[in-house]
Amino acid sequence: MNTSHRLRLPVIAAAVTASLVAAGCGSGSSSGPGGGSGAAASAPGITSTEILIGSHQPLTGPAAPGYSEIAPAANAYFQYVNAHGGVNGLKIKYKYLDDGYDPSKTVSVVHQLVLQDNVFSIFNGLGTPTHLAVVKYLNASKVPDVFIASGCNCWNNPAAYPYTFGWQLDYVREGKILGAYLKQHFAGKKIGYFYQNDEFGQDGVKGLDFEIPHSQVVSRQSYVPTNVNVGPQASALKASGAQVVVAFSIPAFTALLKLASLKVGWNPTFVVSNVGTDPTTLAGLLEAFAKKGGANVSGNQLTQGIITDGYLPTLGDTGNSWIALFKKVHDTYDAKAPLDGNVLYGEAVAYTFVQAMLKAGKNPTRAGLVKAISSGLPQGAAVAPYDYSATGHGGMMGGYIGVIKNGAVVQQGPVWTTDTTPTGAVTQFTGTQPAAPASGMP
Amino acid sequence: MTLLRHLAAAVAVGAVVWALSVQLNAFRDFQMAQVAVYVVAIAGLSLLIGLSGQISLGHGAFMAVGAYTTALLMLHLNWPIWAVFPASAAVTALAGAVVGLAAARLHGPYLAGATLMLAVALPSLASQFPGVLGGDQGLSVTVVPPAALGATFPPTRWLAWVCALAALIALVILANLGRSRVGRNWRAIRDDPVAAALSGLNVAALRVLAFIVSAACAGLAGSMLAVTTSLVSPGSFTLSLSIALLAGAVLGGLGTLTGALWGALVVVLVPTYVTDVATSHGLSGGVAANIPIAAYGVVLIVVMLVFPYGIQGGLRRLAGQFLPSSPTRLGPPARRAPTGERTEDLDSPYRRPPVSEHQEEGTS
Amino acid sequence: MNEFLQFTLGGVSFGMVYAAIALSLVLIWRGTRILNYAQGAMAVLTTYIALTVINHTGSYWEGFVVALAAGLVLGAVIERVVIRPVESRPPLNAVVVTIGLLVLIEGIAGIIYGGQYRSFPTAFSVTGLRAGSVSLGISRNDVFVAGAVLAVALALAAMFRFTSAGLRLRAAAFNAYAARLLGVRVGRVLTLGWALAGLIGALAGLLVSPDTFLYPSSMDSIFVLGFTAAVIGGLDSPVGAIVGGLLLGVALNYVGGYLGSNLVPLFGLVALVAVLMIRPSGLFSVSHGRQV
């Protein structure tokens, strides 16, 4: 293709060498302070002053709205801990990189974190397709992969993924808990499903089907996040006569469904997965329409009465000691972000990590962290216990049913726990949530 | 002769790559594998646009075809890497033939529009057939270094070797193709399809052939991507990938293999570098994450305005100034036609076709 | 039957937005023979500006007018500063430059406004209209959307036909050399063309953002479908843009309703290829002579 034969070979060779060496030298040594190989310390990522952990997060791209708040909130809690003595004197340094919800980029940033920055552990990697791209690599490299931000059941696999731990209530359990509630309180009513066409929605529907009799389900409509026109789905649900709609949808699509239902003149009872009902986010999405949807109403009017579930205390429960603690941390270290469900999530999972690190003891090792979690962790901010044992790496086992009233979720009834099997019962949890420690440190 | 020269160049580059892979750390090896992936994909696209004059905004879709073929072959039939790479390229070549046949009648923006829709629509097939294609979660691909290299051999170095070897083989083939009769015929149909047809060239067949070769490269690149990423899912093959390939091809310099290398280096290294710079200045997560995006846009615009021939063209110009005896000429100096720059360089894809498009079409 | 009616009318609303994007693309294509891949991103920026004004003053219409004005200015500035140097260069440069603009504008929007989904108000009520007891599946706002796009298209057509500025635009598009010889300031005319396209794009952003929520990449899929509509209708034909947009919007709504949301992009591809196979330059294109 080139016409300059004589120049080509040396130019190519020189160019390749120069550019790769330049790139290599540019940030060949680890870019993070406290990185390097942790020569004198007990494990990679641990130095005499700090613990370096990493994560992949969607800071840009389709999943960024909402989810991009989680990592800064977790970092806020870590800063609080650092200011109060750290973990056995070590400060936590949290390096989270953007993967734009693209699995190829996830692989790239995780390789960077593990190979170049030598992180001690990967913490709270977000997204199911994104994390699936790296879970085998992390386990093969024996890097702890803790408290993944995804409700997929696939993380609960100690045989194949001994270093991987889930954290949040998984979608199948969530579906079962919602389904059991519907079976009890909406017997005989026609139910329609509206779910995201990926493992989040499909796992949720699986859980629902374990509990709700099939004869009650009159319509199943799915959506894809790339297509915002959910008018057809709303029309179909209305035509089926559904009186209740169960939605496993993200907040944007919960809002879109609500708007579409206004447009087609259909007014069912909305039951929505915890993922899609952060009241602050929902009200924000609906506020512009509320003014036109009826008389002078606020965004909260349109979210009134939505039934949902939760596995952390609700923000409306201002008397709860955990909410008070997390609000204090938010106001000090993350004040620019709105105090909503994503911030609560980030701080709660950071709290759990600190619990685990404290249990791993002084001079923590990677194997030590894994052992600390597998031997069980106290409940912390979660409303139900964790499923952490030698045979279970699953995460929380239950949640409560709530209703949105005046812009906040209000708990209805007790906490329910269950498992992920088709026949496992949904039982009431008789324990209580421990109070938050006065110092804010586990 | 040409083949020998290309093989010698390939061996030289291969030696450099091997040396680098041993010297640099494991993460750099991983990046080398990524660069190899993009070099192949961008070279194929550069051939299509630069040599045959057709545009494609959908090469990400061809990479997806290659990647899914690889995943399926390795999952269900347990084929080894050296068989999977050519097989994926072949299957994608078939897809390229289909698209090329449809595209042979289209030109310019219409072809761009059709390939754009292809890039958007094809990945959604995976969600349509979740059983076979794994849906949103995708299919996983596992590649381990052969036992002969020892248990402590870094897996990323093996990836770098495998990908670099595949890339070098592909580039040698492309280089030969470019200097062959087929390559000259492509340039002919690029510069003046009417004259080429009058000279007896089968314009449509040549266009389809260009698509086939270009798609095969993209398929091989997709296959290499599957191996380095170890997961094949629709989320990796969005429109941004096709756009990145196009940007890399034009930035690097169309129609040149070295240009494909520059383009690949820019696409792989610049975003990470800019993010590092942004976060090291203490900017908050959200803002810092958007700065590489804005910077990428600025780079595209500025390079196009200042270096319209891409990096390779800019380097050639520089080399031409410092080495007066160089046989390369970018065209007769100081003679500007009213329509703007016109170069006598017959090899250059930047020659404007002699008949202006404006005058061809009468419109109401 | 009721479902069918709802699907049809619902498709018109999105279809008119695609038509608006297609119209702006056609306008730029006719004038400068460049495809503006940044059209959607420009619309996002002007819509963000509108949102800022609306939140500040509380008036929707003030934000509306400001956004349209911003669209005019943005289009003119971009043409003058970024596009003018590449107009005389090979077409690929313009492709990369406009793609660079797309990326840059979305990045800037992300930096200034953040990635959160913002709710954008509508001009009129979103409650569904009813004909008797039958729910029509459209709202008063949807009627406004269709009306606004039609009004702008008609105004544009009138401008082209009846004003001297329109005559100059047509002349420069038909044959720039002859127009220059006749005294038309071609450069200024091209800037005007881009400015008008920016205005139409801004309108499209305002009309569709309530339904997509506003975030930096919210107009990406709308742009792709608008581009498809323009190609289907023929890049030289404004009428084709409107018709293409409407047909595409309604057809995709049927697909989404009867076959499933996932099949919409596939169907878009099939429709596009089908049209282009029959008429390679779009439905409303003037047929070219056979070359050889």
Side-chain angles (χ1 to χ4, degrees), chain B residues 51-52 181-197 199 201 203 206-207 346 351:
Chain B
L51 280 199
S52 81
R181 166 185 297 193
V182 175
R184 287 194 290 279
N185 289 345
W186 277 333
R187 288 186 190 82
I189 65 170
R190 170 198 76 197
D191 289 338
D192 197 335
V194 179
S199 319
L201 293 180
V203 176
L206 281 167
R207 285 202 170 131
L346 293 172
R351 277 186 76 231

Side-chain angles (χ1 to χ4, degrees), chain A residues 25-400:
Chain A
C25 292
S27 43
S29 58
S30 181
S31 43
S37 52
S42 48
I46 310 276
T47 67
S48 50
T49 49
E50 59 176 38
I51 303 167
L52 179 65
I53 56 175
S55 183
H56 62 87
Q57 299 283 323
L59 300 175
T60 60
Y67 294 151
S68 57
E69 293 171 22
I70 295 179
N75 202 22
Y77 184 73
F78 289 143
Q79 285 176 283
Y80 176 86
V81 166
N82 291 345
H84 288 77
V87 174
N88 292 321
L90 298 173
K91 296 202 192 302
I92 299 181
K93 187 167 159 64
Y94 183 25
K95 182 168 180 174
Y96 52 94
L97 295 177
D98 178 28
D99 68 357
Y101 213 69
D102 175 355
S104 316
K105 267 208 230 152
T106 311
V107 173
S108 196
V109 303
V110 167
H111 272 81
Q112 185 181 342
L113 289 166
V114 170
L115 294 174
Q116 187 160 292
D117 298 307
N118 279 303
V119 294
F120 175 66
S121 165
I122 295 291
F123 163 71
N124 202 225
L126 199 150
T128 310
T130 45
H131 201 77
L132 276 173
V134 295
V135 63
K136 278 200 197 141
Y137 167 70
L138 288 172
N139 278 277
S141 310
K142 299 198 176 15
V143 178
D145 174 26
V146 301
F147 309 142
I148 300 167
S150 142
C152 178
N153 214 16
C154 32
W155 318 125
N156 187 2
N157 192 347
Y161 307 137
Y163 285 78
T164 298
F165 294 87
W167 183 75
Q168 67 190 71
L169 182 67
D170 66 79
Y171 304 130
V172 178
R173 279 190 167 99
E174 196 186 355
K176 284 180 69 175
I177 292 176
L178 284 172
Y181 180 82
L182 282 172
K183 190 165 68 175
Q184 192 185 1
H185 290 87
F186 290 88
K189 293 265 169 75
K190 295 192 181 154
I191 299 180
Y193 292 167
F194 177 72
Y195 61 99
Q196 185 156 307
N197 195 10
D198 65 2
E199 56 77 37
F200 154 53
Q202 288 158 358
D203 271 2
V205 165
K206 213 186 338 175
L208 288 171
D209 281 340
F210 287 164
E211 292 291 319
I212 300 179
H214 283 220
S215 54
Q216 262 188 283
V217 182
V218 293
S219 178
R220 293 159 188 262
Q221 300 294 320
S222 71
Y223 74 87
V224 287
T226 45
N227 183 0
V228 291
N229 186 9
V230 297
Q233 288 94 324
S235 292
L237 282 165
K238 178 185 177 196
S240 71
Q243 297 153 297
V244 180
V245 64
V246 186
F248 266 83
S249 55
I250 53 180
F253 281 83
T254 315
L256 285 173
L257 182 67
K258 186 85 188 145
L259 292 171
S261 69
L262 277 179
K263 210 182 268 199
V264 300
W266 172 58
N267 197 13
T269 309
F270 274 79
V271 178
V272 185
S273 149
N274 158 291
V275 170
T277 50
D278 177 46
T280 321
T281 315
L282 260 189
L285 289 172
L286 291 170
E287 70 182 358
F289 302 96
K291 302 189 182 67
K292 300 288 175 344
N296 252 329
V297 289
S298 70
N300 287 337
Q301 292 292 96
L302 284 178
T303 61
Q304 192 86 333
I306 294 181
I307 299 172
T308 181
D309 64 277
Y311 48 82
L312 292 172
T314 123
L315 282 167
D317 188 3
T318 42
N320 185 297
S321 54
W322 295 98
I323 299 297
L325 166 65
F326 290 145
K327 182 165 177 358
K328 188 172 78 175
V329 172
H330 162 266
D331 292 343
T332 319
Y333 295 100
D334 192 22
K336 267 195 250 148
L339 181 60
D340 63 12
N342 293 304
V343 166
L344 185 60
Y345 180 102
E347 294 197 40
V349 69
Y351 182 90
T352 313
F353 182 74
V354 174
Q355 279 181 308
M357 285 305 293
L358 283 172
K359 197 163 169 204
K362 286 194 186 298
N363 296 324
T365 61
R366 283 172 164 173
L369 176 63
V370 171
K371 206 164 101 175
I373 305 175
S374 314
S375 57
L377 283 178
Q379 222 172 292
V383 301
Y386 297 112
D387 178 20
Y388 293 145
S389 66
T391 51
H393 286 193
M396 295 178 207
M397 294 201 283
Y400 55 83

Side-chain angles (χ1 to χ4, degrees), chain A residues 1-9 11-12, chain B residues 5-6 51 175 178-179 187 253-259 312 316 328 347:
Chain A
M1 295 185 191
N2 295 348
T3 52
S4 62
H5 322 300
R6 272 176 268 164
L7 279 181
R8 215 177 84 223
L9 174 54
V11 163
I12 294 180
Chain B
R5 196 169 33 231
H6 289 154
L51 280 199
R179 301 197 67 80
R187 288 186 190 82
L254 279 178
T256 69
L257 289 177
T258 333
Q312 178 63 6
R316 268 214 238 167
T328 333
D347 266 356

